[in-house]
Amino acid sequence: MNLHYQVDGQGEAIILIHGLFGSADNLGLLARALKEKYKVISIDLRNHGKSPHSETFTYREMATDVLAVIDQCDIEHFSLIGHSMGGKVAMAMTELAAPRLNHLIVLDMAPVHYHVHRHQNVFAGLQEVSKHTVNKRSEAETYLAKHILEPGVRQFLLKSYAKTDNGYNWRFNVDGLIANYETIMGWQDVPEFTGKTLFVKGQDSEYILPEHRESIAKQFPSAKAHMVAKTGHWLHAEKPDTVNRIILNFLQSI
């Protein structure tokens, strides 16, 4: 699958991978900080952004998609930074390209199966919007608000609500994401990866918990960890300067 992507800057390659319902733009603040010293490739995963839609949505498929972009760009060695679902894609890539990986940085995600359904209200809101003919984003937000209370979540989703020749529509594949939700929340363990790895956790987030340490240590025995105080799952948006500094320090460490 030919993914949509953007390249900025020069130097060693760093691949940025967004999370569920997102797009390459979600890591824009990080891309701007990195492109001064690195070649930054920001990717829209399948079923997201401007990339093609697909009925299948496994982590191995997504990892293969991203690796195809890297090969298209004629890049041999690279670092990966993934947030949330994008973190799982990055971790899955260690099985496909471990010798080529310089650094692996995972933002607020663990290599585990999450059993809690975290997005019921989001899917309900997306489906609510799809029931109506919408002429502007403010109308879409009104329908989203019936199911999604947090204004920040609504604004995040609306970044992927775009005007097309057939009116407004979601860039991401709503039906495909719903159909594959168990796969998205799931995980198949990868072989031990001993390369440079950093897990960055938002202090108030529940995506990396003490009970996940065993799974992390088993699959990524050399991993280091860093907690960002007073942040949730969107730590890179809540404290961009802090997260950018943590990432840059790790990339430049010996």
Side-chain angles (χ1 to χ4, degrees):
M1 179 173 290
N2 293 319
L3 300 184
H4 175 265
Y5 63 93
Q6 178 177 327
V7 181
D8 296 291
Q10 298 290 330
E12 295 180 15
I14 297 178
I15 319 302
L16 301 185
I17 313 175
H18 65 80
L20 184 62
F21 306 118
S23 68
D25 294 343
N26 294 151
L27 298 174
L29 291 175
L30 179 55
R32 285 197 287 275
L34 292 172
K35 70 179 183 180
E36 301 300 324
K37 295 183 179 180
Y38 299 94
K39 175 184 284 187
V40 180
I41 302 176
S42 303
I43 289 176
D44 285 339
L45 293 171
R46 65 168 62 194
N47 289 326
H48 288 77
K50 297 178 182 179
S51 286
H53 290 182
S54 167
E55 292 183 0
T56 57
F57 200 59
T58 67
Y59 281 109
R60 188 173 185 88
E61 287 173 323
M62 289 189 281
T64 301
D65 291 344
V66 174
L67 193 58
V69 170
I70 295 168
D71 289 339
Q72 287 170 22
C73 294
D74 197 27
I75 293 167
E76 180 60 29
H77 296 283
F78 54 89
S79 295
L80 294 171
I81 302 175
H83 171 248
S84 194
M85 181 186 75
K88 281 190 171 180
V89 175
M91 289 186 279
M93 289 182 67
T94 63
E95 187 170 6
L96 302 178
R100 299 170 63 182
L101 254 174
N102 294 329
H103 301 83
L104 170 66
I105 300 175
V106 180
L107 303 180
D108 211 58
M109 180 57 56
V112 299
H113 186 114
Y114 292 95
H115 297 283
V116 178
H117 195 307
R118 299 170 182 264
H119 302 96
Q120 289 169 315
N121 64 326
V122 173
F123 284 128
L126 299 178
Q127 290 175 312
E128 182 71 34
V129 174
S130 297
K131 293 177 184 176
H132 304 274
T133 300
V134 176
N135 296 310
K136 50 187 178 181
R137 285 185 176 181
S138 59
E139 294 177 8
E141 183 172 13
T142 300
Y143 295 125
L144 284 177
K146 292 183 178 182
H147 302 277
I148 302 169
L149 299 180
E150 303 89 340
V153 174
R154 297 198 298 268
Q155 290 303 313
F156 163 67
L157 293 169
L158 287 168
K159 290 180 179 179
S160 292
Y161 197 60
K163 194 170 185 177
T164 68
D165 293 338
N166 300 315
Y168 278 93
N169 212 336
W170 296 111
R171 287 196 186 278
F172 41 69
N173 180 1
V174 177
D175 292 339
L177 298 183
I178 292 173
N180 289 277
Y181 187 72
E182 285 301 317
T183 301
I184 295 167
M185 297 301 285
W187 179 250
Q188 292 185 334
D189 285 5
V190 295
E192 182 180 281
F193 175 70
T194 57
K196 295 179 180 177
T197 303
L198 176 67
F199 285 82
V200 187
K201 170 182 167 53
Q203 183 181 28
D204 302 328
S205 171
E206 296 183 348
Y207 277 85
I208 300 179
L209 297 172
E211 55 261 38
H212 298 153
R213 288 175 183 166
E214 183 177 346
S215 293
I216 293 172
K218 175 185 173 184
Q219 297 168 76
F220 303 96
S222 301
K224 297 181 179 180
H226 202 298
M227 182 181 292
V228 182
K230 299 179 181 179
T231 60
H233 188 54
W234 294 93
L235 65 170
H236 59 287
E238 296 171 43
K239 288 193 175 181
D241 291 343
T242 300
V243 173
N244 293 353
R245 184 174 64 253
I246 292 167
I247 289 172
L248 282 165
N249 286 342
F250 183 70
L251 290 171
Q252 294 164 7
S253 64
I254 298 174

